[in-house]
Amino acid sequence: MFCSIISATIRGIEARKVDVEVDISQGLPVFDMVGLLNSEIKESRERVRSGLKNTGYHLPPNRITVSLTPANERKEGTGFDLAITAGLLVSMGVINKKSVENTMIAGELSLDGQLRKIKGILPMIIMAKETNIKRFIMPYENVKEALAIDGVEIIGVKNIKDFVELTNNGYKNNQIEINKDEETAVKYPDFLDVCGQENAVRAALIAAAGAHHLLLVGPPGAGKSMIAQRIPSILPPMNLEESIEVTKIYSVFGDKSMNGLIRARPYRTPHHNITPQALVGGGYKAKCGEVTLAHGGVLFLDEFAEFSRKTVDYIRQPLENGEINVSRNDANYNYPSDFMLVAATNPCRCGYYPDRNKCMCTDADVKKYMEKLKGPVLDRIDLCVSMYKTDIKEINKGGKYSSKELLKKVVKAREVQEERYKDFLKHENEQDESVNDQKIILYNSKMNFKMLQRYCKLGEKEEKLLDLIYEKYDLSTRGYYKIIKVARTIADLEDSADIKEEHILQAIAYRIDNLWC
């Protein structure tokens, strides 16, 4: 008897529909599986055989053929176990064929017939909704994650026995006692813990308000990491669309700490010995890297100068485009990588330059170390702050700004930006390719040239100031426009409709008023 079950595989962070075709016919006892399968799927034959046996069902001594179509696309993962089991049970006459029609099935089996959690359930449920699939049967441990998407009936099963009972009873006993609003929460430390360093805190505020990239330079103990760790606490909460996209990434990645829909913005801190593939994605299976796991949040690169130059250069594309493309022989993978970069580094190898009472580096050593900070990646960083040892009086005073206060300012500035750019996209000509290709803009850092012309008009005095700085410091065109974008964010924080000279001066100071940029 022949049976076809709907399932799915993951390509990048998207799901692809796969039909699991099962046929039991007369012939020598054999269990064949075809369809361009990886080793994990080939091994499912033993998991399915043992799972059925230990649940009380024995495969007939006939020829069994399982085909995963389309046959020309490679399939990966352990999620086909339950779909293969369902096809066999239908072909054996244990469950009714109609009960699994228009139903997607995915799950991994243990040898005793229990179901285990699988990766990538969220993109699968999204694909099921888009293709008008009525029902999705999955491991019970995946249900909380799947409930983030409405429009598809979710059936959670714990073992093969539950699966058979639910299908034969028309899913009448399907009871899911899970709080749909429960989420994966993370509590970040407060800026109130930061003593002094008002210039750096101000830079963090501006960076958060406009989604700008930030570099902190200073000696050990100045508070660079402390400030970076607190930046997520002043970023606005994600909306539902952002939460679903981030949760989808972590669902495919297989984060064990996930507990339903992710609401907190990601904060990733890879070590400086990370490989390029681990940072941007790649490897044999073209997995997503840290830049994708930081999507929608913060990527903190501590000891920035200690990262290999090759590794750092890999992040140029995601910094510019908000996505990363990984090419392989069989396919191209596109991963979202729209993150806020925060980097921190010492000014020299010992960390104490320019304090010659402590710094033991020669001028040549300092110059060589500083050269590691130069290059195309640094040109893409919007703000750069030099930090110094905190005065004892500032330490005794304690923190001045709380994350709650700073968050209010950030939210207000971002609301101004969101309204501004929604209006721009709404009134632009739909036939204009420069607009059609542009993603929805919510932050000043994402402005294109056309938006800069419209929303960042400068007075004569401001233009002369910028022209002077451009020539004097030999800025790149990108650096020139980044000053304008930062000035626009500063103006938004101060409720100013126009960019004024003082806003330009602040942006310039964060760009070139130090040794590092």
Side-chain angles (χ1 to χ4, degrees), residues 47 68 98 148 271 373 418 462:
R47 292 192 295 270
L68 274 60
K98 289 186 177 181
H271 191 264
L373 302 177
E418 185 173 354
E462 288 78 16

Side-chain angles (χ1 to χ4, degrees), residues 113-127:
Q114 300 296 313
L115 279 166
R116 293 175 173 170
K117 186 176 182 179
I118 61 172
K119 299 178 183 179
I121 207 73
L122 191 59
M124 290 182 189
I125 195 77
I126 292 172
M127 187 268 286

Side-chain angles (χ1 to χ4, degrees), residues 101 109 334 407 491:
E101 289 181 351
L109 279 177
N334 186 276
L407 177 59

